[in-house]
Amino acid sequence: MAPQLIDPFARAVTYLRVSVTDRCDFRCVYCMSEDMTFLPRRDLLTLEELDRMCSTFIDLGVEKLRITGGEPLVRKGIMTFFNAMTRHLDSGALKELTLTTNGSQLTRFAPQLYAAGLRRVNVSLDTLDQAKFARVTRWGRLPQVLRGIDAARAAGLRVKINAVALQGFNEDELFSLTEWCAREDMDLTWIEVMPMGDMGETDRIGQYWPLSDVRTQLATRYTVTELDHRTGGPARYVRLQETGQQIGFITPLSHNFCETCNRVRLTCTGELYLCLGQEDMADLRAPLRDHPATDAPLIEAIHNAVGLKPQGHDFDYSRQQPDGQMSRHMSHTGG
Ligand code: SAM
Ligand code: SF4
């Protein structure tokens, strides 16, 4: 199907990231405060509404769906939604259905996710040290996540590890994390910490660690080859010749990745964010809820929203706040 969602800068929107809940069983210090207030249930899109919303985007040419949160696997009944999306994989309209998770629930869900048609999952993990893991996630326990990763791989899912680079926290694990991923045949992507939500406590646990430095340090031990392929997202990739591993770098602060951006983000309340680093959004819940019998108003709202997709973000020279800091949490927009 030809993409139908073309923004004013001639970029086709073919990738939808969907946050299915703002709740989480962890409280990572760079993502949430410990006493988060969550949204009232009535504000959330129901599983049926999520199905209708995603199916409409797929009808409009979206080929890749990434489910995120909060922690998507703590959303009650979430497998009903994944199972509903299988029909779009079967029809060929959807090329990939995937998930970003903290891994805590994978022992339970991995086989069902594979059966629903998922083939790859991203698991977020910043450290292999149990005490540090408990500190950074506050409520998370490392062995549970490691068991989840094992379960995912046993079910046939390919696992990619996402690690947030935090100076003074996991700098000393650059090589141990790299070697662990190489041994387990998992790709690894480093994410620069972004100024989202209330970052107060982050200062105490770790700070912005530029990925240019991660790369320089990798090059002291490995032969690092730049890879051409881009995903339309903020990641760049290199290959480590000695291990064959692919290492990704997501650098929203130090690189502008906007020119090839193919994605939009839907929150669990039905707001469509056109750009991770801008406040512009469109409410899609009203056109969906107010018109149960027809999708026409929703389709019009989606077209209108994509017509407003900004050229790029400006974390560095924001018009919102002096340092470009965003007021909303990552768990709201979905990472
Ligand atoms: N709970 C799931 C997880 O942790 O993978 C999915 C949602 S989480 C918001 C998605 C990703 O965003 C995670 O990889 C997390 O590390 C990342 N993230 C959260 N807050 C961030 C921040 N302030 N800067 C950079 N990455 C962040
Ligand atoms: Fe939860 Fe993911 Fe945010 Fe951590 S990063 S608090 S696991 S949503």
Side-chain angles (χ1 to χ4, degrees), residues 2 9 27 41 52 58 61 76 91 100 105-106 138 154 182 186-187 198 238 260-261 267 269 272 274 292 299 313 318:
F9 305 94
R27 290 289 181 278
R41 201 162 298 265
R52 209 178 133 208
I58 293 164
K76 203 165 163 222
S91 78
T100 299
Q105 308 300 316
L106 278 174
R138 293 202 189 97
M186 299 185 293
D187 289 326
D198 169 19
V238 300
T260 56
C261 180
T267 69
T269 55
L272 189 70
L274 289 321
I299 292 172
H313 67 65
S318 173

Side-chain angles (χ1 to χ4, degrees), residues 12-274:
V13 173
T14 54
Y15 181 6
L16 177 66
R17 297 171 73 104
V18 184
S19 172
V20 294
T21 177
D22 62 332
R23 285 154 205 266
C24 187
D25 51 347
F26 291 4
R27 290 289 181 278
C28 302
V29 295
Y30 44 72
C31 181
M32 292 191 184
S33 58
E34 192 150 23
D35 56 347
M36 287 290 283
T37 317
F38 294 108
L39 295 161
R41 201 162 298 265
R42 65 175 179 281
D43 286 355
L44 299 192
L45 298 179
T46 64
L47 296 172
E48 293 75 21
E49 287 172 335
L50 279 169
D51 179 349
R52 209 178 133 208
M53 193 75 92
C54 292
S55 300
T56 305
F57 272 96
I58 293 164
D59 286 346
L60 293 172
V62 161
E63 298 181 330
K64 179 169 174 181
L65 211 53
R66 177 174 293 280
I67 308 308
T68 176
E71 174 48 41
L73 297 180
V74 303
R75 171 86 195 243
K76 203 165 163 222
I78 192 63
M79 279 318 301
T80 307
F81 169 75
F82 279 112
N83 291 332
M85 290 300 103
T86 308
R87 69 182 189 278
H88 298 302
L89 288 170
D90 291 344
S91 78
L94 189 61
K95 304 271 183 293
E96 187 171 37
L97 174 61
T98 184
L99 168 74
T100 299
T101 174
N102 65 23
S104 69
Q105 308 300 316
L106 278 174
T107 41
R108 175 169 166 215
F109 286 109
Q112 301 175 61
L113 290 166
Y114 186 88
L118 277 84
R119 292 297 174 264
R120 299 193 303 161
V121 293
N122 288 358
V123 179
S124 305
L125 185 145
D126 307 327
T127 172
L128 287 170
D129 179 287
Q130 282 200 39
K132 280 163 74 177
F133 189 88
R135 250 174 78 213
V136 76
T137 62
R138 293 202 189 97
W139 296 0
R141 296 297 169 258
L142 181 65
Q144 184 183 350
V145 170
L146 295 179
R147 281 196 299 275
I149 292 171
D150 286 346
R153 298 169 69 223
L157 295 165
R158 219 178 138 69
V159 175
K160 190 184 85 176
I161 300 296
N162 282 346
V164 175
L166 294 167
Q167 196 166 59
F169 180 74
N170 56 10
E171 264 175 308
D172 56 336
E173 291 187 75
L174 172 62
F175 294 117
S176 49
L177 272 166
T178 307
E179 283 157 18
W180 174 66
C181 287
R183 256 196 326 275
E184 304 290 330
D185 189 26
M186 299 185 293
D187 289 326
L188 170 63
T189 290
W190 290 93
I191 309 174
E192 253 173 20
V193 72
M194 286 183 262
M196 294 284 189
D198 169 19
M199 299 278 291
E201 194 165 339
T202 306
D203 292 339
R204 279 186 269 137
I205 205 149
Q207 290 170 350
Y208 172 63
W209 176 20
L211 297 192
S212 51
D213 189 49
V214 176
R215 209 200 124 114
T216 306
Q217 289 194 39
L218 279 174
T220 63
R221 197 172 293 192
Y222 300 102
T223 316
V224 179
T225 320
E226 197 83 37
L227 295 177
D228 271 347
H229 92 262
R230 301 289 306 267
T231 56
R236 287 174 190 274
Y237 296 95
V238 300
R239 190 168 302 287
L240 305 186
Q241 200 176 302
E242 289 77 2
T243 64
Q245 236 171 331
Q246 187 171 295
I247 307 283
F249 301 103
I250 300 185
T251 53
L253 291 177
S254 53
H255 274 285
N256 204 329
F257 55 85
C258 305
E259 65 281 357
T260 56
C261 180
N262 61 355
R263 60 199 58 196
V264 289
R265 296 175 156 81
L266 184 74
T267 69
C268 53
T269 55
E271 296 163 341
L272 189 70
Y273 280 89
L274 289 321

